[in-house]
C-alpha cells in the first residue's frame, strides 16, 4: 500500500477542493417567565427594533413582534420587556411558564413559535416504602452512662 502511494506523488494543492465549516446560524429566542417577563436573548436584541408591539395567538403558541414608531414596548439592552399583562395573557391561554419560543424573521414580522417542553419521565423510587428498622440501634452513637 505504501509503495503504491510513493509511486503517485504528483499531488498538488490545487487538486483538492477545500472546505471550511459554515458559520453557525444565530438562534433567536424568547423566554417568558413570571419572574422576569419577556426575555429576548442577546442575539435577538442585536437585530430586533427597539420599539415593538406584541401579538399573541389565541392558543398562546405563537407570538408576533412588529416594529412600531411610538408608544410600543421598549426593548432595553438586557432584552427584558416589562409587561405583566403579556405574561398573564400567555398564562391564561394555557401555556405553562417558563415557556421558550424560537424566533424567526418573516418579512416585517418577527414570528416566535413555542418550543414544546418534554414531559419529565416518572422515575421509580429507589428507597423502599417501609424503611429498615432492624440494626439501627447499632449504628447510633453510644452514650456513656455514669
Amino acid at each position: 500500500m505504501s509503495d503504491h502511494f510513493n509511486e503517485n506523488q504528483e499531488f498538488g494543492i490545487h487538486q483538492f477542493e477545500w472546505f471550511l465549516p459554515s458559520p453557525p446560524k444565530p438562534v433567536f429566542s424568547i423566554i417568558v417567565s413570571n419572574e422576569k417577563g419577556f426575555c429576548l436573548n442577546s442575539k435577538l436584541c442585536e437585530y430586533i427594533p427597539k420599539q415593538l408591539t406584541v401579538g399573541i395567538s389565541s392558543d398562546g403558541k405563537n407570538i408576533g413582534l412588529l416594529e412600531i414608531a411610538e408608544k410600543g414596548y421598549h426593548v432595553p439592552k438586557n432584552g427584558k420587556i416589562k409587561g405583566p399583562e403579556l405574561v398573564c395573557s400567555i398564562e391564561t391561554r394555557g401555556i405553562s411558564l417558563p415557556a421558550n419560543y424560537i424566533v424567526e424573521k418573516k418579512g416585517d414580522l418577527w414570528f416566535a413559535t413555542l418550543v414544546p417542553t418534554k414531559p419529565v419521565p416518572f422515575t421509580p423510587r429507589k428507597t423502599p416504602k417501609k424503611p429498615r428498622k432492624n440494626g439501627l440501634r447499632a449504628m447510633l452513637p453510644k452514650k456513656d452512662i455514669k
Side-chain angles (χ1 to χ4, degrees):
M1 177 94 172
S2 63
D3 292 335
H4 181 69
F5 183 76
N6 291 334
E7 291 173 4
N8 297 323
Q9 285 191 1
E10 295 182 21
F11 287 107
I13 199 166
H14 61 279
Q15 291 178 326
F16 293 96
E17 183 178 358
W18 298 96
F19 297 92
L20 288 173
S22 59
K25 289 177 74 174
V27 176
F28 301 134
S29 69
I30 299 173
I31 296 176
V32 181
S33 69
N34 280 328
E35 298 83 30
K36 298 180 182 179
F38 269 56
C39 295
L40 285 63
N41 73 343
S42 59
K43 292 286 184 190
L44 183 58
C45 286
E46 291 176 23
Y47 296 97
I48 203 152
K50 298 302 173 202
Q51 289 285 335
L52 297 172
T53 181
V54 179
I56 302 171
S57 66
S58 60
D59 60 359
K61 294 181 180 180
N62 297 306
I63 298 173
L65 304 172
L66 274 175
E67 182 176 10
I68 191 167
E70 55 187 52
K71 295 186 181 180
Y73 289 100
H74 176 70
V75 181
K77 286 183 180 181
N78 67 3
K80 294 179 183 174
I81 298 176
K82 295 178 182 172
E85 66 279 359
L86 295 173
V87 176
C88 182
S89 179
I90 294 285
E91 249 183 331
T92 56
R93 286 170 165 82
I95 304 297
S96 60
L97 300 181
N100 189 13
Y101 292 83
I102 296 294
V103 183
E104 60 183 326
K105 187 165 170 92
K106 294 185 177 183
D108 292 338
L109 175 71
W110 289 88
F111 187 73
T113 306
L114 180 68
V115 176
T117 57
K118 296 177 183 172
V120 179
F122 175 74
T123 54
R125 291 176 48 158
K126 293 185 179 179
T127 57
K129 291 183 181 179
K130 294 182 180 179
R132 180 183 70 151
K133 293 182 181 176
N134 295 339
L136 290 179
R137 220 175 265 280
M139 288 189 219
L140 294 173
K142 297 180 180 176
K143 296 179 182 177
D144 292 330
I145 300 174
K146 293 184 181 181

